[in-house]
Amino acid sequence: MRDDDHDHPVGDGADPNGEPIIEARNITKSFGGAVAVDGVGLAVGAGEIHGLVGENGAGKSTLMRVLAGIVTPDHGVVSIDGVDLDAGNTRAALDAGIALVHQELSLVPEMTVAENILLGSTPTTSGFIKVSEQRRIAAEALNEIGVSVDLDEPIVRLSVALRQFVEIARAVARKPRVLILDEPTATLTPAETDYLLDMLQRLADRGLAIIYISHRIPEIFRICHRVTVLRDGKLVDNIAIADTTPDAVVDQMVGRELKIEEGQRREALPGSVVLSAEGIEAHRVNGIDLQVRAGEIVGLGGLVGAGRTELVRSIIGADIRSAGDVTITTDKGEARVRTYRSAVNNGLAYVPEERRTDGLALTMSVSDNVALPNRSELSRAGILSRSKIARRAQELAEVVGLRPPQVQREAGEYSGGNQQKIVLAKWLGRKPAVIVLDEPTRGVDVGAKAEIHRLIKELADNGTAVLVVSSDLPELLELSDLIHVVRDGRIAGTLDGSVADEKSVMSLASGEATVSGNGDPDDLVGSAQ
Amino acid sequence: MTAALELGSGESGDNLLARVRTVLGRRTEGRAVALLAVVAVVTAFLEPVVFTSYPVTLGRIALIGLVALGLTAVILMGELDLSVASTLAVSGVVMASIESLPLGIVAALLVGLMIGAANAFFVVAVGINSFIATLGMLFFLRGSAFVLSNEEPVRLANRDAGIAFGKPFLGPLTPRMLLFIGAFIALQVFVTRVRVGREFYAVGGNREAAYDAGIPVTRRIVTGFMISGFVAAMAGVINTLERTAADPTAGSTVLLASFAAAIVGGVLLTGGRGSIFGTLLGATSLGILQVALTLSGVQVDVQNIVIGLVLLLAVITDPNSVRGVVGSVRSLLQGRSRA
Amino acid sequence: MLLLGAVALAACGGDSDDGADGSDSEDVAGATADAEFEVYALLPQGNDQPYGTTYLPPMEAKAAELGLNLTITNSQYDADKQASECEVAVAAEPDLIILWPAVGDTVRPCLEAANDAGIPVTVTNSDVNPEDKDLTAAYSGPDTYGQGVASAEIFCDLAAGEDVGIIMVNGLTGNSTAIDREAGFEDTVNEQCPNVEILARQPGNWNKDDSQLAASEMITAVGAENIGGVYAADDTMVAGVIDALKARDIDPADLIVTSIGNTFLGNPLVLSGELDGTVFQSSSWDGENAATTAHEVLTGGADGDRVVKFMPSVKVTTDNAESPDVAPEW
């Protein structure tokens, strides 16, 4: 597949010999007074992978949308091969060879893989779709990125990871000169991420200019030749990877000294069992038992699609379970939980994965969102007390580190990381007996991530039983006292958080260390219950 | 190198059974087929006349289904068109008001296209929600039909042509059925094989993605509404011919029947999912059911109850809902036995 | 499991009702005669309207007595639906079809289809258009012209030769019942009491609100002092007129007021003296005679000529309003 099979060590700087393919000069864009991008320039040459980093809200996405012609900048120009492009013209950008792989997946669920890859540029003869050519081009594009998938499969039937690859195939099918990827690995497992990064290097070797946006600093250092750091819409640095270090980049991003507490584990003193689930069966969940004690953080690891989200949703009663019992034991006694409502009434808090749709009312203010689960506490004779809500919300906003801590603003105006903090604040106000978190830091920048980790640990230290689902292995290892690895809707194995490592979790998750026949997994601390 | 990553592309297997399962799993008409089978079998036992005099049943299916076919084009894009029944009435009145039959037919169809364009204008240019825009259009057109007709049925100048139109034309098939079949084939091909029609799914399934991919979303919506308006006008023309007069109150049961056919056929009201074929199946189920119930002399109120049950059945047999219901029933029973 | 349950439920819903309808008529039929004839009755209303509710039971009872096995449909005044029900009826090859046209102008194809299949059609309640009459075997129902005549006769009696100016509220423009009643009333007045002068006329569209508005406008137009009487084409509309008069401080009892219907709305108005006279339209007569007329045609009592059975236009005034013979039915 790889025609030019020459060696291409990472970070040797492929660009300097040629003119840049894409160049953006002095881009400024503000939305209603707030400056999102402020005089930023960027140049990427053929064969170069250019990293773009910054905290959420630093202006990365806006800059990319300007490059792709989706957003019209207030000032500045984008040029390809020295020719200026018509600003804010998506078609012109596409025709000039700029392809953007969106952060939010932009595939049509009920259309097939082939149709999605050629969406908007379907080949036709007098209006009729040329099906064979459509399939041929789609197959070529998939081939080019080395992914094998049935062309006639509708997108809804694909895994999240496959959808991401189809999205990339779609960009590649346009034979772009510049490929922009916005957080492509956020939903991928480590193996899939590896594969994607290798693939990007191959594409760069063929002369593509690639702009790669990620929160994951190690990925940047693995594949990028140069990195651009943005903060608050301004360019902080543009430097060759060889000349910088991960710590330096993180410092530049956050603009303050931030110790990433990597591997810094807390001393867990688990109390009695608070959350107990027995024999849970539901859609994609095939008989699972688990317990979470007061002050304990239990992690659920596994691949995307292993059934973890389904498991927690059925435990908390948000989805119907076909069998199994769940009890929550607090100082008020033991309660059997069948519905989500009864779970919440018995002291459970839930922070869903899709916070945009499940966890927050985006058009309501931060303080109203925070008040939602605390209505009885904040109301007097059934009437919500405005001042009480505002005061309480303000307190909580400061505890979770909401920036800016303006609780009257709409939740939708905040960035992803801040929205997650609002969701946490919402539940912190209740001092829950149990909190269930699904991917608490997906798409969140490093600064906010560290703060969210701190909050979760604090909750546990204060006696809350914590159940957390995470695909982010370092996060899972850092937080969890006990890790259950889920595969195919079952617990494939249980590991003690203090001795588990990425390898042991992944081998359980991927099925390499299955409980084959009746044998026990050899090198694991705990076995499947 | 490429085989390095197995991402698990569904359950596409090698043997025939697995392939059949994969193909079936991709279709959205599964429930409509099952429902049709149940309805057909029950009817075959209770009212075999439904099948022995199949031209009557086909006629009923065409009556229910034609407007539903056009409506499906709009629903696929996640929009609604509530004005179809009024469009049918107005176009019929316009047609009957014109002395010359061919001229009247052309005028009626043009009226349908114009109504579709007007609906689309309100939805895409003014930015009104399609439910509200077409609800307004519904009242406007119904009122217009009454005003234009002077509140009474308008008789066709050429009644003999109308009566001849209602007679079988090709074998047992009347022109209505042939036009219905023609409309079905045309629309089915349009949304599966023609790029513009296929992109309706993108507009309904993920509008943002459709914009980003450079699909002219506005033009697609205009096209969809014009199809819906045209097909409704066509139904108005056919009805007026067959009845030899245009009734301004015509189509009072068309709106709900059309939506019911689409829903039973597995068309998702929020757009992006479903098919013209599904709507055909839905209309067929409802048509057979209605004829069977009419033959049994069942009161119209009871007929409505049965049709309502079928609609609910079609919706709750969505695999997710079934699982939910089974699960909650089971946990309820468990809870009882333990308490 | 659920699917089966729901299907069974749906099937039961259909079945049990079918069964109930069938057994009703069979029970009665068993007592008198065997079911000899299959008859489809294509009606535009049923238990969803007051008239239909009191029309159906006498019809069903009579049919059972005469050995007619009825299958009744209700098109809810949708011409397309009735046309489709007509197709179903023709396909079922009954011995006769009873038709109450939903929209008179649209029934010709149905009549032709029945004719082609050799199925006789009798018409009930509202007659078909004159040119379609030769495709039908009989009509039974109100004599709409005669009702207008009867209402006018009450009026002329009360006017007693004096000059009276009146306002007239008619039914829906173009509706055949409205046209016939208006003609019956006007022809009779011109003939029997030319001293009565129609000062103004407007359609009240068979409903009370429209009628009230129309009456109010006419009162203004011709001047309250010139009005000595009112005719409205049905009881519902006359109630609207009476309200309009009261709103102008005119006591309806001082005027001559007549209408048609003798409904639950009209009969008390007669008793209270606000309405001087109305004409009884009996829904039970209508339903019963739909069945007897059909039976007559089936048993060949008609030998070729079109049977026409008019409902007697019984006058209802203060003298007889309490009589059980004219007890309102709808």
Side-chain angles (χ1 to χ4, degrees):
Chain A
M1 204 107 312
R2 211 162 117 185
D3 338 284
D4 48 346
D5 210 14
H6 61 81
D7 246 353
H8 203 310
V10 167
D12 73 349
D15 73 299
N17 48 349
E19 287 290 305
I21 294 184
I22 184 166
E23 193 175 4
R25 292 186 298 275
N26 197 24
I27 304 291
T28 298
K29 175 70 190 176
S30 46
F31 296 102
V35 183
V37 178
D38 191 356
V40 175
L42 184 72
V44 186
E48 178 184 347
I49 304 181
H50 193 106
L52 183 64
V53 298
E55 288 194 86
N56 280 331
K60 302 177 307 254
S61 293
T62 306
L63 181 58
M64 291 308 104
R65 290 167 73 81
V66 169
L67 293 184
I70 299 168
V71 164
T72 313
D74 302 335
H75 301 290
V77 279
V78 178
S79 62
I80 293 279
D81 294 330
V83 181
D84 289 353
L85 294 180
D86 188 7
N89 182 337
T90 315
R91 199 78 243 178
L94 273 176
D95 292 345
I98 302 174
L100 174 64
V101 178
H102 290 266
Q103 186 175 13
E104 315 275 326
L105 288 177
S106 60
L107 299 173
V108 181
E110 294 290 335
M111 295 178 88
T112 67
V113 169
E115 285 172 335
N116 266 288
I117 288 175
L118 281 130
L119 194 67
S121 49
T122 313
T124 55
T125 38
S126 56
F128 284 86
I129 299 168
K130 286 195 214 161
V131 178
S132 56
E133 191 172 342
Q134 186 182 39
R135 293 171 58 91
R136 185 181 58 75
I137 298 172
E140 257 172 30
L142 286 166
N143 214 1
E144 201 164 337
I145 63 166
V147 170
S148 151
V149 53
D150 189 338
L151 292 172
D152 298 323
E153 196 75 71
I155 295 297
V156 267
R157 288 166 56 90
L158 298 184
S159 67
V160 176
L162 261 182
R163 293 181 196 186
Q164 185 70 61
F165 282 101
V166 170
E167 186 98 20
I168 294 167
R170 189 167 128 194
V172 168
R174 298 193 176 122
K175 308 268 176 234
R177 309 205 49 214
V178 182
L179 183 62
I180 305 171
L181 299 103
D182 194 355
E183 294 280 354
T185 58
T187 55
L188 303 188
T189 61
E192 292 159 354
T193 303
D194 275 350
Y195 191 81
L196 183 120
L197 297 180
D198 288 346
M199 182 192 86
L200 292 180
Q201 281 180 330
R202 288 201 305 274
L203 291 173
D205 287 346
R206 268 180 244 164
L208 240 69
I210 297 178
I211 301 176
Y212 186 76
I213 303 175
S214 182
H215 284 125
R216 299 183 179 176
I217 304 300
E219 291 175 8
I220 300 286
F221 277 80
R222 187 170 142 196
I223 60 164
C224 295
H225 305 108
R226 293 188 75 82
V227 61
T228 288
V229 183
L230 295 182
R231 187 173 70 238
D232 299 332
K234 291 197 179 64
L235 181 76
V236 179
D237 202 357
N238 175 349
I239 189 170
I241 281 291
D243 301 335
T244 185
T245 66
D247 279 345
V249 169
V250 170
D251 285 349
Q252 285 175 325
M253 277 168 63
V254 297
R256 56 185 183 268
E257 286 289 314
L258 180 95
K259 273 274 166 280
I260 305 177
E261 317 164 31
E262 226 168 318
Q264 193 175 316
R265 301 181 45 79
R266 66 195 186 93
E267 199 64 37
L269 297 164
S272 57
V273 172
V274 177
L275 177 73
S276 167
E278 277 172 44
I280 302 298
E281 280 181 33
H283 177 46
R284 294 173 77 174
V285 179
N286 308 312
I288 283 186
D289 301 326
L290 65 81
Q291 294 182 330
V292 188
R293 293 161 190 281
E296 182 184 42
I297 303 178
V298 173
L300 289 175
L303 302 177
V304 171
R308 293 169 304 170
T309 298
E310 290 83 354
L311 171 62
V312 295
R313 287 185 64 86
S314 58
I315 287 178
I316 63 170
D319 285 347
I320 298 295
R321 27 175 207 273
S322 46
D325 285 319
V326 176
T327 51
I328 293 177
T329 314
T330 58
D331 38 359
K332 282 180 237 154
E334 186 181 311
R336 267 164 49 77
V337 171
R338 266 197 293 276
T339 62
Y340 180 55
R341 195 186 159 82
S342 69
V344 170
N345 286 341
N346 285 295
L348 178 134
Y350 173 53
V351 182
E353 177 178 18
E354 300 280 332
R355 58 180 171 269
R356 276 167 184 281
T357 52
D358 292 359
L360 274 184
L362 292 178
T363 54
M364 284 168 69
S365 71
V366 173
S367 70
D368 285 344
N369 267 293
V370 171
L372 271 179
N374 304 313
R375 266 168 302 192
S376 54
E377 185 190 328
L378 294 172
S379 56
R380 199 179 292 120
I383 295 161
L384 286 168
S385 155
R386 282 269 137 215
S387 57
K388 259 193 183 177
I389 291 174
R391 213 175 320 126
R392 192 59 199 277
Q394 195 67 47
E395 268 171 45
L396 290 167
E398 272 152 31
V399 170
V400 299
L402 185 69
R403 259 179 292 274
Q406 294 165 356
V407 297
Q408 298 312 331
R409 283 175 64 170
E410 283 183 12
E413 294 176 35
Y414 282 92
S415 65
N418 274 313
Q419 285 180 6
Q420 188 72 324
K421 290 179 194 167
I422 297 169
V423 177
L424 279 171
K426 174 171 141 178
W427 293 115
L428 278 174
R430 274 212 101 153
K431 300 194 179 63
V434 191
I435 188 162
V436 177
L437 304 128
D438 196 352
E439 301 287 0
T441 61
R442 167 168 297 172
V444 163
D445 61 72
V446 264
K449 190 169 178 172
E451 278 180 74
I452 290 167
H453 287 176
R454 176 181 60 79
L455 284 167
I456 294 173
K457 288 175 188 170
E458 254 177 46
L459 274 166
D461 288 342
N462 291 332
T464 296
V466 182
L467 182 61
V468 57
V469 173
S470 179
S471 299
D472 182 338
L473 277 179
E475 172 174 285
L476 195 69
L477 293 167
E478 182 194 332
L479 289 174
S480 313
D481 303 317
L482 198 63
I483 300 172
H484 296 298
V485 181
V486 180
R487 184 161 50 82
D488 296 335
R490 292 191 175 82
I491 292 183
T494 300
L495 302 164
D496 188 318
S498 60
V499 291
D501 57 18
E502 298 202 9
K503 190 166 164 289
S504 57
V505 174
M506 278 320 295
S507 59
L508 276 173
S510 60
E512 286 166 32
T514 340
V515 188
S516 51
N518 51 6
D520 285 321
D522 358 318
D523 57 340
L524 306 173
V525 177
S527 63
Q529 298 183 336
Chain B
M1 167 172 75
T2 56
L5 191 67
E6 196 42 68
L7 292 151
S9 56
E11 59 249 38
S12 52
D14 289 332
N15 64 56
L16 185 68
L17 190 71
R19 272 211 303 278
V20 169
R21 279 187 54 161
T22 307
V23 169
L24 288 182
R26 289 173 185 162
R27 306 299 315 180
T28 55
E29 297 94 353
R31 286 173 294 141
V33 170
L35 194 71
L36 179 56
V38 170
V39 167
V41 168
V42 171
T43 310
F45 278 107
L46 299 179
E47 287 292 346
V49 188
V50 170
F51 298 102
T52 50
S53 31
Y54 62 95
V56 172
T57 312
L58 279 178
R60 180 65 75 104
I61 294 166
L63 180 69
I64 298 173
L66 184 56
V67 173
L69 292 180
L71 186 63
T72 305
V74 174
I75 301 178
L76 282 179
M77 287 188 291
E79 302 290 346
L80 298 174
D81 186 353
L82 303 180
S83 68
V84 282
S86 311
T87 304
L88 181 153
V90 152
S91 56
V93 169
V94 167
M95 172 186 162
S97 311
I98 293 173
E99 195 79 22
S100 148
L101 191 62
L103 219 62
I105 293 173
V106 170
L109 296 177
L110 281 178
V111 164
L113 287 173
M114 273 157 47
I115 291 168
N119 277 330
F121 171 80
F122 287 117
V123 173
V124 298
V126 186
I128 307 174
N129 173 297
S130 62
F131 179 91
I132 297 163
T134 57
L135 184 68
M137 191 57 94
L138 181 161
F139 285 109
F140 176 82
L141 295 177
R142 183 61 76 188
S144 306
F146 276 104
V147 170
L148 289 175
S149 67
N150 233 338
E151 304 189 351
E152 63 187 81
V154 185
R155 293 175 59 168
L156 212 53
N158 188 347
R159 286 189 100 188
D160 295 337
I163 288 166
F165 185 85
K167 298 273 164 67
F169 179 74
L170 189 77
L173 302 178
T174 63
R176 173 195 287 278
M177 298 171 207
L178 293 171
L179 285 168
F180 173 66
I181 294 166
F184 164 70
I185 293 171
L187 282 169
Q188 174 70 17
V189 168
F190 181 68
V191 301
T192 55
R193 292 273 168 263
V194 176
R195 177 176 168 182
V196 173
R198 195 62 192 150
E199 286 175 353
F200 282 14
Y201 284 89
V203 173
N206 189 340
R207 192 164 294 184
E208 202 61 36
Y211 275 116
D212 290 348
I215 293 173
V217 172
T218 304
R219 281 222 298 274
R220 297 291 172 269
I221 293 175
V222 172
T223 309
F225 274 106
M226 286 177 72
I227 288 174
S228 175
F230 181 82
V231 174
M234 195 163 115
V237 166
I238 295 172
N239 284 0
T240 305
L241 277 168
E242 280 198 359
R243 311 286 167 257
T244 70
D247 177 13
T249 66
S252 56
T253 53
V254 163
L255 178 63
L256 295 179
S258 308
F259 271 98
I263 293 167
V264 170
V267 181
L268 195 66
L269 276 189
T270 47
R273 206 181 88 190
S275 66
I276 298 291
F277 180 59
T279 301
L280 174 73
L281 293 175
T284 308
S285 294
L286 291 179
I288 291 177
L289 204 60
Q290 283 188 6
V291 172
L293 292 169
T294 305
L295 280 168
S296 324
V298 173
Q299 285 268 341
V300 73
D301 320 281
V302 180
Q303 291 192 22
N304 287 339
I305 291 174
V306 174
I307 288 165
L309 284 175
V310 166
L311 248 183
L312 289 174
L313 192 69
V315 176
I316 62 176
T317 46
D318 189 299
N320 290 318
S321 319
V322 170
R323 221 177 350 256
V325 172
V326 170
S328 57
V329 167
R330 202 182 291 174
S331 75
L332 192 74
L333 293 178
Q334 281 173 354
R336 286 261 170 80
S337 63
R338 262 185 230 184
Chain C
M1 181 184 80
L2 176 94
L3 182 106
L4 284 178
V7 169
L9 188 65
C12 284
D15 276 353
S16 62
D17 248 85
D18 185 17
D21 280 2
S23 63
D24 263 4
S25 45
E26 271 157 30
D27 281 351
V28 188
T32 50
D34 289 328
E36 290 171 43
F37 301 107
E38 289 295 326
V39 173
Y40 265 74
L42 310 179
L43 313 180
Q45 55 167 276
N47 290 327
D48 50 348
Q49 304 261 348
Y51 194 86
T53 307
T54 47
Y55 172 102
L56 280 178
M59 180 193 199
E60 284 167 341
K62 197 69 184 175
E65 190 190 316
L66 296 172
L68 308 180
N69 194 1
L70 281 183
T71 304
I72 298 168
T73 71
N74 173 358
S75 64
Q76 297 174 305
Y77 285 96
D78 184 328
D80 296 318
K81 205 159 169 239
Q82 190 170 61
S84 177
E85 283 163 0
C86 178
E87 286 170 18
V88 174
V90 171
E93 295 172 355
D95 298 303
L96 182 137
I97 292 173
I98 299 173
L99 176 69
W100 173 349
V103 178
D105 286 325
T106 66
V107 297
R108 174 109 194 168
C110 170
L111 297 178
E112 294 211 350
N115 231 40
D116 292 349
I119 303 166
V121 178
T122 62
V123 185
T124 174
N125 186 280
S126 316
D127 208 351
V128 293
N129 291 328
E131 70 272 26
D132 297 335
K133 283 182 179 170
D134 54 351
L135 288 170
T136 63
Y139 168 73
S140 68
D143 170 13
T144 43
Y145 183 88
Q147 289 175 325
V149 171
S151 193
E153 283 169 0
I154 304 174
F155 208 105
C156 288
D157 283 354
L158 294 168
E162 297 208 13
D163 286 345
V164 182
I166 69 164
I167 57 171
M168 191 176 196
V169 179
N170 293 309
L172 194 67
T173 308
N175 176 284
S176 61
T177 304
I179 293 167
D180 290 348
R181 287 182 181 175
E182 182 180 357
F185 185 89
E186 193 171 0
D187 292 351
T188 310
V189 164
N190 289 342
E191 202 176 293
Q192 297 185 14
C193 49
N195 49 316
V196 171
E197 190 192 352
I198 298 167
L199 300 174
R201 68 182 85 197
Q202 273 195 37
N205 301 340
W206 302 126
N207 80 62
K208 193 179 160 189
D209 291 341
D210 287 4
S211 162
Q212 188 170 343
L213 194 67
S216 184
E217 284 171 11
M218 287 189 285
I219 295 167
T220 309
V222 304
E225 65 284 1
N226 299 321
I227 297 173
V230 177
Y231 159 79
D234 79 358
D235 284 359
T236 310
M237 293 195 295
V238 94
V241 177
I242 288 170
D243 284 352
L245 291 170
K246 287 177 177 168
R248 296 295 185 90
D249 277 332
I250 305 169
D251 185 354
D254 298 341
L255 305 182
I256 304 168
V257 183
T258 68
S259 72
I260 295 163
N262 187 41
T263 63
F264 284 121
L265 186 63
N267 186 271
L269 289 174
V270 176
L271 289 173
S272 73
E274 289 170 318
L275 179 59
D276 294 294
T278 184
V279 181
F280 189 24
Q281 172 157 344
S282 166
S283 50
S284 61
W285 186 98
D286 205 5
E288 200 175 305
N289 281 276
T292 46
T293 310
H295 185 258
E296 208 170 296
V297 169
L298 280 167
T299 50
D303 44 76
D305 285 341
R306 189 172 193 259
V307 179
V308 175
K309 270 199 203 171
F310 281 137
M311 182 189 294
S313 300
V314 180
K315 295 171 194 165
V316 180
T317 61
T318 36
D319 301 338
N320 67 343
E322 278 177 297
S323 154
D325 295 341
V326 295
E329 294 175 346
W330 55 289

